[in-house]
Amino acid sequence: MLNGFTKKQILEDIDSITLDDVKNLHKFIIKNSNGTISVNTPTNNPEMKENSIKLFESLFPVKNYEYKRKEVFIPNQKTTVLTKEKPASQADISQVFKFKFEDTPKERVTMEIMNTILSASSIGLFNTLREKEHLAYSVYSNLDKIGDCAELSCNILTTTDNKEIGEISYDNVQKSINGFNRQIGALLNSEYTDDDLISAKRILKANLLDKEGTPSKLLSLNSGLNSKFGIDYENKLFNEIDKITRADVDALARKAFQYPPTYAIVASEVTLNANKDFFETL
């Protein structure tokens, strides 16, 4: 699937593409493009800075970048279960929650801290589903944001149908999903320790301070230039970290998990058939 179109649909349309189609797309891109540029130059070499500015001023003109927040959030009204058959020994399972994203430095920081606690703490998915219950090698939670919509996903690859070594565990799908919901419940009940909260803050600080090499420095600048907060955006995030309390994390968790989730399960045909009754209970 590519932007809503299947590979079959794309292949069927390729031969109909003309040179004029390509030219018109190029004109559209030039007419509607905007952009930002960030450069890392030595402080003791002002000439390089001036030459860089002159070079960029000679490029083809585009529109000035203007931050516009996309309004795309639509709350889930009911639980959705999506399945796809794939001849694989492991089931690839995701549980995704959508919630309204307000885009403030405090909320961004609180989201990252909450996600770290859910993924890698004493009540985290990794510590529980992998280390204690041995359901998978890969298990984690992840955050994504588009406009005013944030998504938090729980993800796992769990063996269900490995006939080569005789490991058949169709119930690992149910164990994994129940595990997701159990650990989410532990987060909502604020069962994580004070050390978990402190550790999550330290991890976020380390990620923000890890600016070794030019690419990471430029990426930091671009994240600010492409936001409404400016080039010191990450400084604003850093300054919020120590202010975040357990109450802040708990409040955001209630917000993040207030709507029913969407499940996506890719697994072998026999694994999906073995779990049909369970899927109907979600």
Side-chain angles (χ1 to χ4, degrees), residues 7-19 21:
K7 290 182 179 179
K8 181 180 179 182
Q9 290 173 315
I10 294 170
L11 289 171
E12 288 174 348
D13 285 346
I14 284 179
D15 290 337
S16 66
I17 303 299
T18 66
L19 181 58
D21 291 328

Side-chain angles (χ1 to χ4, degrees), residues 3 22 24 67-68 86 114 117 140 161 166 207 214 219 222 238 257 267 282:
N3 292 331
V22 177
N24 289 333
Y67 173 81
K68 291 182 179 179
K86 182 180 179 180
M114 178 189 70
I117 292 173
Y140 60 95
D161 191 15
N207 289 338
T214 298
L219 182 62
N222 274 325
F238 192 92
F257 299 108
L282 295 174

Side-chain angles (χ1 to χ4, degrees), residues 126-191:
F126 184 91
N127 184 58
T128 307
L129 273 65
R130 172 183 154 145
E131 297 299 291
K132 293 180 180 178
E133 299 177 4
H134 310 293
L135 285 172
Y137 178 80
S138 174
V139 55
Y140 60 95
S141 60
N142 187 59
L143 282 170
D144 197 11
K145 300 174 286 291
I146 300 177
D148 67 340
C149 181
E151 292 183 348
L152 190 150
S153 64
C154 300
N155 308 275
I156 192 170
L157 280 169
T158 184
T159 299
T160 61
D161 191 15
N162 193 334
K163 295 182 175 64
E164 291 185 4
I165 61 173
E167 188 175 348
I168 307 299
S169 306
Y170 303 136
D171 61 344
N172 275 357
V173 172
Q174 182 172 345
K175 289 178 180 178
S176 296
I177 291 175
N178 287 343
F180 286 163
N181 290 321
R182 183 187 62 239
Q183 300 316 120
I184 290 169
L187 173 64
L188 289 168
N189 290 329
S190 197
E191 295 175 18

